[in-house]
Amino acid sequence: DTGVSQDPRHKITKRGQNVTFRCDPISEHNRLYWYRQTLGQGPEFLTYFQNEAQLEKSRLLSDRFSAERPKGSFSTLEIQRTEQGDSAMYLCASSSSPTSGFQETQYFGPGTRLLVL
Amino acid sequence: AQTVTQSQPEMSVQEAETVTLSCTYDTSESDYYLFWYKQPPSRQMILVIRQEAYKQQNATENRFSVNFQKAAKSFSLKISDSQLGDAAMYFCAYKSDNSGYALNFGKGTSLLVTP
């Protein structure tokens, strides 16, 4: 399978603990996105990477959240001092930069479901 | 910021029938993209169909088609010959062509397909 993969698929943690999620994009994709999806809502944008550069961050990304994409391949999303309000599905998506005649499409991974107790 | 509204939390359709899901959006931009994504239960989100705002012709992908009304800022999805496998959450999404890289999603419509 050459789609977007995420690890772990599920994570249960206690309030105050740190958690880290990993996303492996489709191999030739240079763009990578993180979204958060809470129950009954659509995904909300968190941050965007083009290669290794983090080019956009949402206001949702508080200082307890940090994302990296060190070599322009996989990405990690870390949440420090987790709170119950962080419980959500964290989705990763990847895409290629649009070129002439080719439009960008974001392909989503299966997500990591986080439960903070 | 652009907002996307899906006013139908749930819809139901019988197998082989046609159903239309509604989506409206608010923007001051002229260049943008619109998408419908499908999220089956416990499965990942997949793209159903996309529409470029500069194109007047409505996009079609097999049994899926859209009715894009730019002036009304409306982007509905029509599913023809509904199948049991079409049951899922459907999300409408907006992407600016000029500012930002994010998809802005609506809250979704849950589609139930009955035999």
Side-chain angles (χ1 to χ4, degrees), chain A residues 37 89 110 113, chain B residues 37-48 84-91 111:
Chain A
Q37 185 178 20
M89 175 79 85
R113 186 171 295 281
Chain B
Y37 276 87
K38 170 186 177 181
Q39 189 175 40
S42 302
R43 294 181 61 188
Q44 62 202 78
M45 196 170 309
I46 59 173
L47 178 68
V48 175
L84 294 177
D86 294 334
M89 283 292 291
Y90 285 82
F91 292 97
L111 179 65

Side-chain angles (χ1 to χ4, degrees), chain B residues 20-31:
Chain B
T20 299
L21 308 184
S22 301
C23 173
T24 59
Y25 55 94
D26 182 23
T27 185
S28 58
E29 299 178 331
S30 58
D31 296 324

Side-chain angles (χ1 to χ4, degrees), chain A residues 4-64:
Chain A
V4 178
S5 61
Q6 293 186 244
D7 184 69
R9 296 289 305 276
H10 303 273
K11 179 70 177 179
I12 301 174
T13 192
K14 293 182 179 179
R15 186 164 49 97
Q17 298 295 305
N18 298 344
V19 294
T20 299
F21 310 140
R22 176 179 169 125
C23 171
D24 286 274
I26 294 172
S27 59
E28 63 268 26
H29 285 180
N30 62 334
R31 296 183 168 187
L32 188 145
Y33 310 78
W34 286 99
Y35 292 84
R36 183 176 71 184
Q37 185 178 20
T38 53
L39 201 61
Q41 303 292 320
E44 297 171 293
F45 171 75
L46 292 178
T47 190
Y48 160 70
F49 289 86
Q50 183 156 315
N51 299 312
E52 65 275 9
Q54 189 174 20
L55 297 185
E56 189 175 352
K57 292 196 291 187
S58 160
R59 293 179 183 177
L60 291 175
L61 211 67
S62 75
D63 56 6
R64 296 186 298 104

Side-chain angles (χ1 to χ4, degrees), chain A residues 39-108:
Chain A
L39 201 61
Q41 303 292 320
E44 297 171 293
F45 171 75
L46 292 178
T47 190
Y48 160 70
F49 289 86
Q50 183 156 315
N51 299 312
E52 65 275 9
Q54 189 174 20
L55 297 185
E56 189 175 352
K57 292 196 291 187
S58 160
R59 293 179 183 177
L60 291 175
L61 211 67
S62 75
D63 56 6
R64 296 186 298 104
F65 287 70
S66 62
E68 294 182 341
R69 193 182 183 198
K71 296 184 179 179
S73 56
F74 72 92
S75 175
T76 58
L77 177 67
E78 181 183 17
I79 309 174
Q80 296 182 327
R81 305 180 304 281
T82 52
E83 301 173 354
Q84 288 182 326
D86 297 332
S87 296
M89 175 79 85
Y90 290 84
L91 297 170
C92 176
S94 71
S95 69
S96 293
S97 298
T99 58
S100 176
F102 175 78
Q103 300 297 335
E104 177 190 12
T105 295
Q106 293 186 25
Y107 295 87
F108 283 81

Side-chain angles (χ1 to χ4, degrees), chain B residues 1-12:
Chain B
Q2 297 84 10
T3 56
V4 177
T5 302
Q6 294 180 248
S7 59
Q8 306 154 317
E10 293 180 350
M11 291 285 285
S12 180

